Amino acid sequence: ETPKEKLSRKERRKREDAAKKAAAAALAKRTTREAREARERRYRREIDDARRSLVEQKEMWLGLVKDSEQQCRDLELEVAEVRREEAALSAQLEDVRRNDDGAVEVLTGELVAMKLRAAELSNECDMLDHHATLVRRQAPQPR
């Protein structure tokens, strides 16, 4: 083998080694890029899922607030009705007091029961109002 052929073989080996290294580097670069892109797609999916979940939760909380507010309004109407009945019973009580002491005890019991029911309804209304306030505070603010 002549020195020229020897040099040529070494050059060829060097070129082959350099080509192998370049191919390996390109493969590593492509693999890294593909992994990064896959991660980015996964992160985007997770972000989209989180956004959808937040929207659903917001709608749920707003629905709960709306329901609570309606319950409050219903209870307030019920409280007003009970108070009207209480006033009517109070008026009847005054009439009966003048006429019959036995009926007074019956009406007093009914009046006490009505007042207790009115107090219970008022407490329920206050609790629902407080719940609605808490839910409004916790609901995500629209941007």
Side-chain angles (χ1 to χ4, degrees):
E1 180 174 32
T2 66
K4 195 173 186 177
E5 289 174 343
K6 209 176 200 184
L7 182 63
S8 160
R9 194 176 55 203
K10 280 184 180 180
E11 276 299 314
R12 198 175 36 230
R13 242 189 248 140
K14 277 184 185 179
R15 285 187 197 131
E16 287 172 358
D17 288 347
K20 285 179 186 176
K21 284 181 184 178
L27 177 64
K29 186 176 180 180
R30 189 179 72 230
T31 304
T32 302
R33 187 183 73 241
E34 289 170 353
R36 185 182 66 243
E37 288 170 353
R39 264 194 322 275
E40 286 175 2
R41 284 191 302 273
R42 188 180 78 235
Y43 293 157
R44 288 192 202 309
R45 273 194 313 272
E46 289 174 0
I47 289 169
D48 289 343
D49 291 347
R51 282 187 181 139
R52 272 192 298 280
S53 176
L54 284 174
V55 167
E56 290 169 2
Q57 288 177 13
K58 177 183 175 185
E59 289 171 358
M60 178 196 68
W61 281 111
L62 292 177
L64 287 174
V65 167
K66 188 176 178 183
D67 291 347
S68 295
E69 288 172 343
Q70 182 59 46
Q71 286 177 346
C72 264
R73 286 190 293 274
D74 293 346
L75 286 173
E76 286 169 353
L77 292 175
E78 231 179 294
V79 166
E81 179 64 29
V82 167
R83 288 194 174 134
R84 279 192 293 279
E85 290 176 16
E86 176 190 358
L89 287 174
S90 293
Q92 286 179 5
L93 180 61
E94 290 303 317
D95 291 342
V96 172
R97 251 192 201 135
R98 290 182 217 119
N99 297 327
D100 188 357
D101 289 338
V104 169
E105 290 179 23
V106 171
L107 290 175
T108 302
E110 289 179 9
L111 181 60
V112 167
M114 289 295 220
K115 284 185 177 186
L116 288 173
R117 179 68 181 140
E120 290 173 6
L121 289 173
S122 182
N123 283 342
E124 284 184 38
C125 188
D126 290 344
M127 280 179 33
L128 286 171
D129 194 33
H130 177 68
H131 173 73
T133 301
L134 289 176
V135 169
R136 271 192 227 103
R137 286 184 194 156
Q138 291 177 355
Q141 300 299 318
R143 294 181 186 225

